[in-house]
Amino acid sequence: MEKLQNFIDGKYCAPANGNYIDNYEPASGMVYCQIPNSDAEDVELAVKAAERAFPIWSKMSIDERSAILVKLSQGIEARMDEFVKAESRDNGKPLSLAAHVDIPRAVSNFHFFATAILHYASESHNMEGVGVNYTLRKPLGIVGCISPWNLPLYLFSWKIAPALAAGNCVIAKPSEVTPYTAYLLGKVAQEAGLPDGVLNILHGEGGAAGDAIVKHPKIKAISFTGGTKTGEYIARTAAPMFKKLSLELGGKNPNIIFADCDWKEMMSTTLRSSFANQGQICLCGSRIFVERSIYDKFKEEFVQKVASTVVAHPDDPTAKLGAVVSKMHLEKVLSYVELAKEEGGTVLTGGERVVLDAPYENGYYLRPTVIEGLAYDCRTNQEEIFGPVVTITPFDSEEEVLMMANSTQYGLSATLWTSNLQRAHRMANEIDAGIVWINAWLVRDLRTPFGGVKASGVGREGGWEALRFFTEPKNVFVKY
Ligand code: NDP
C-alpha cells in the first residue's frame, strides 16, 4: 500500500516515529493509502529547516519570490489531471467539481498572491514641519497553516500562498482525512525552485501534529480553517503565547428568498448553494427562509428537483453529489436527520444513505435532504451539520426573517434573493455575516475580505487582509 510522506526541508521523508494512519477512499469506504502520523519531533525538524530558510526567502527580492510562486501555480496547472483525480478520490467529491472548482482555484490562489505581492505597498504619514513616518511591513518568520478536509488544496493554498508571498516560511498541515493533494504539492514546490525549508508539509492528526504546530514557540502565527470547537481550543492555546491568529470557523448560513426574486436563477443557485460538494462548504446556505406567499410553490419545485438529483460515484459524469468525506461524518449527518425528526421536523426528501452497486456499496453516499416544520431556534437550525441537509422555513416580514437569520452563534455568510434594491441594501447591512451575496452565491473575488463574525471566526483572509496578517508593521519616524 502506498505510504505518503512528510515534506520537510525540500525533501520527502518518513515520520520520525515511523507511525502511519490509514487513509480512506470515501467512494468505496476502503483504505487506499497511509499517511504519516507525525508528532512534535517532525514539527521540530520542520521548524529547524524553516529557520535556516527564512533569511534566504525573506531577503530574496520580491520579483524573484513572485516568479517562484508563479511557477508553483503553473506547476499545479501542468499536473491538473493528477491533482483533480487525487482530490476527488481523497474527498469523495465529483471529479467535475475538483476539475472546475478545487484545483483551478488552487492555481489561482498561488497566481493571485504571487502577483499581489508585487503591488503591495506600505503607508507613509507626513507630519508637516515635524517629520515623516513610514511603515515597514516585515514577514513574521515561521507561520503555521492548518486546513480542513472540505476543499483540501483550495483552502490549503489560500493560506500558504499569501504566507509565502509575504516572505514567511511555512509549516502546514492538511486534514488527515484529505492529505493527498497537499502531499503532491511538495513535488511542485521542488520543481518550481522553492528553496528547501521554505514550505514544510506535515501529515497527521490534529491532536498531535496540529497541536504541536500550535504550541511551538518559534511559530509566530497560526492561520486556521476548521470547526469552531477546534478554533476555540487553538485560540486558548496560542493566545497566551501572543501568536497572531486568523480563525475561519463554522457557519449556519441563511438563504433568504423573497417573493420578488428572479425565480429561475434563485432556484438553480439555491440547489447549488444547498448541496454543492455534498453540502460541505462552509458557505452553503443550510437554512432556507422563504416568504410565505411563495412557500408552497418553492417547496414543490425545490423538493422535486432535489429528489431527482443524481448521487453517484465521483467518477460518474452524471454525478451531482458524490460521497461525503468519512464514515464518521456520514454518521454525524444522519444523526442530525434523526434529531430533526425528534424536534418535530418532516423529511420531505432524502434523509437516508444511498447504497451503490459493488464494489462501492460501503461508500459514504447520502441522499440530499430537505426538512420542514422546525422551529428556527431548535438544535437542527442552530448547529452546523455540514452535509447535504437543508431546512426550509416560511417567513412573513423582513423583521421576522432578520431575527431568525441572526439567531445562531454563527455569522459567516448570507444570501438574499430579491429585486427590491432598498430592501437588499437594508438587509445586507443588518445581517450578522462577514459575507453577503445578493441574487448570487459563491461569487468570489480574491481581493475581497473573506471571513466571518461571531463564532464563525476572527480576522479576514483574502487580498491585502491576508498580506497584512502575514506581515508585522513597524513604524519608523524621521525628524525633519
Ligand atoms: P476540524 O476543526 O476538525 O479540523 C480542521 C483542521 O484542524 C484539520 O487539519 C485538523 O486535523 C486540525 N486540528 C484538529 N484538532 C486540532 C488541534 N487540537 N490543534 C491543531 N489542529 C487541529 O474541522 P474539519 O476538518 O472537520 O472541517 C470542517 C469545519 O471547517 C466545519 O466546521 C466548516 O464550517 C469549517 N470550515 C470553515 C471555513 C471558513 O472559511 N470559515 C471554510 C471551510 C470549512 P485532523 O483532520 O487531523 O483532525
Side-chain angles (χ1 to χ4, degrees):
M1 181 161 310
E2 186 182 15
K3 278 191 160 87
L4 306 194
Q5 296 193 302
N6 288 330
F7 183 71
I8 299 176
D9 205 11
K11 291 152 214 79
Y12 282 105
C13 54
N17 60 18
N19 294 334
Y20 288 83
I21 42 182
D22 290 337
N23 185 29
Y24 289 79
E25 180 188 50
S28 65
M30 313 273 280
V31 175
Y32 81 103
C33 69
Q34 291 195 311
I35 70 162
N37 192 1
S38 312
D39 60 24
E41 222 179 315
D42 304 286
V43 173
E44 190 56 43
L45 289 172
V47 167
K48 290 246 156 65
E51 271 185 307
R52 288 190 296 273
F54 183 65
I56 302 163
W57 185 242
S58 58
K59 300 253 181 313
M60 192 179 270
S61 78
I62 287 175
D63 282 343
E64 277 179 278
R65 221 191 284 151
S66 165
I68 291 174
L69 294 177
V70 168
K71 275 195 199 147
L72 219 156
S73 143
Q74 291 164 341
I76 301 172
E77 206 167 12
R79 290 168 174 261
M80 181 63 77
D81 226 36
E82 188 184 359
F83 272 98
V84 164
K85 285 190 184 128
E87 200 70 297
S88 168
R89 184 170 197 197
D90 218 16
N91 174 279
K93 66 179 72 207
L95 208 57
S96 58
L97 190 70
H100 290 108
V101 178
D102 291 75
I103 308 304
R105 177 53 198 277
V107 171
S108 307
N109 286 343
F110 275 109
H111 193 265
F112 175 84
F113 284 108
T115 51
I117 197 67
L118 298 173
H119 308 273
Y120 187 50
S122 57
E123 314 84 48
S124 161
H125 299 91
N126 185 35
M127 297 170 79
E128 207 52 60
V130 181
V132 65
N133 295 275
Y134 62 90
T135 309
L136 298 172
R137 289 239 160 220
K138 315 272 285 176
L140 302 175
I142 307 172
V143 299
C145 297
I146 301 176
S147 59
W149 48 256
N150 62 327
L151 300 165
L153 191 67
Y154 173 141
L155 291 175
F156 199 58
S157 54
W158 186 231
K159 299 181 176 307
I160 291 172
L164 293 177
N168 299 284
C169 291
V170 173
I171 318 286
K173 192 196 93 65
S175 168
E176 77 191 67
V177 188
T178 52
Y180 211 102
T181 48
Y183 166 66
L184 294 177
L185 190 64
K187 286 185 202 166
V188 177
Q190 281 171 336
E191 287 163 7
L194 195 71
D196 294 349
V198 171
L199 171 62
N200 303 278
I201 301 168
L202 301 183
H203 299 280
E205 294 167 344
D211 198 44
I213 293 172
V214 173
K215 286 182 175 155
H216 199 291
K218 290 195 170 150
I219 297 181
K220 302 290 182 212
I222 301 292
S223 173
F224 168 81
T225 298
T228 293
K229 271 216 169 79
T230 317
E232 189 192 317
Y233 171 78
I234 289 177
R236 239 185 297 126
T237 311
M241 300 175 80
F242 307 111
K243 295 190 183 208
K244 258 184 137 174
L245 278 175
S246 164
L247 303 172
E248 299 293 339
L249 311 176
K252 188 77 179 173
N253 311 308
N255 176 9
I256 301 171
I257 302 167
F258 284 93
D260 62 359
C261 67
D262 175 330
W263 184 266
K264 233 174 119 193
E265 198 167 346
M266 174 281 292
M267 185 56 71
S268 64
T269 306
T270 294
L271 284 164
R272 274 196 312 119
S273 67
S274 302
F275 301 117
N277 203 35
Q278 296 71 246
Q280 303 165 137
I281 301 181
C282 51
L283 306 162
C284 277
S286 53
R287 293 179 298 148
I288 305 178
F289 298 103
V290 187
E291 196 164 9
R292 197 175 297 277
S293 60
I294 55 162
Y295 184 80
D296 288 339
K297 180 181 169 204
F298 174 84
K299 176 171 133 181
E300 190 183 337
E301 187 173 330
F302 185 63
V303 168
Q304 177 261 318
K305 288 197 151 91
V306 174
S308 59
T309 301
V310 179
V311 181
H313 187 279
D315 291 354
D316 185 331
T318 66
K320 286 279 181 267
L321 272 79
V324 300
V325 78
S326 66
K327 185 156 187 282
M328 201 169 87
H329 194 56
L330 174 88
E331 282 160 6
K332 176 190 155 184
V333 177
L334 282 171
S335 78
Y336 270 102
V337 175
E338 287 314 305
L339 175 70
K341 290 183 198 158
E342 282 163 28
E343 290 183 319
T346 305
V347 176
L348 300 173
T349 182
E352 78 246 329
R353 283 186 76 161
V354 176
V355 180
L356 299 189
D357 292 340
Y360 305 117
E361 70 276 25
N362 294 320
Y364 316 133
Y365 302 93
L366 260 177
R367 206 164 283 298
T369 303
V370 183
I371 303 171
E372 75 164 352
L374 288 167
Y376 76 91
D377 57 353
C378 69
R379 280 184 55 204
T380 311
N381 267 331
Q382 294 289 314
E383 297 176 14
E384 186 184 43
I385 301 174
F386 212 56
V389 177
V390 295
T391 62
I392 57 173
T393 308
F395 68 87
D396 293 299
S397 67
E398 249 178 71
E399 295 69 35
E400 185 196 14
V401 76
L402 256 178
M403 179 278 291
M404 293 195 288
N406 287 344
S407 67
T408 74
Q409 64 165 330
Y410 297 108
L412 187 53
S413 73
T415 300
L416 282 175
W417 291 97
T418 178
S419 55
N420 179 329
L421 195 62
Q422 285 88 348
R423 171 158 64 203
H425 288 298
R426 194 166 53 233
M427 290 203 53
N429 187 44
E430 295 297 327
I431 286 181
D432 295 343
I435 302 153
V436 179
W437 281 290
I438 296 166
N439 301 327
W441 178 71
L442 202 49
V443 177
R444 291 283 295 118
D445 177 330
L446 305 190
R447 294 168 301 178
T448 59
F450 180 93
V453 299
K454 303 198 291 192
S456 289
V458 179
R460 291 292 181 273
E461 296 187 305
W464 298 148
E465 300 278 349
L467 293 176
R468 279 193 206 108
F469 175 76
F470 284 115
T471 52
E472 193 74 76
K474 179 194 281 185
N475 195 68
V476 180
F477 170 77
V478 189
K479 195 167 179 293
Y480 284 144

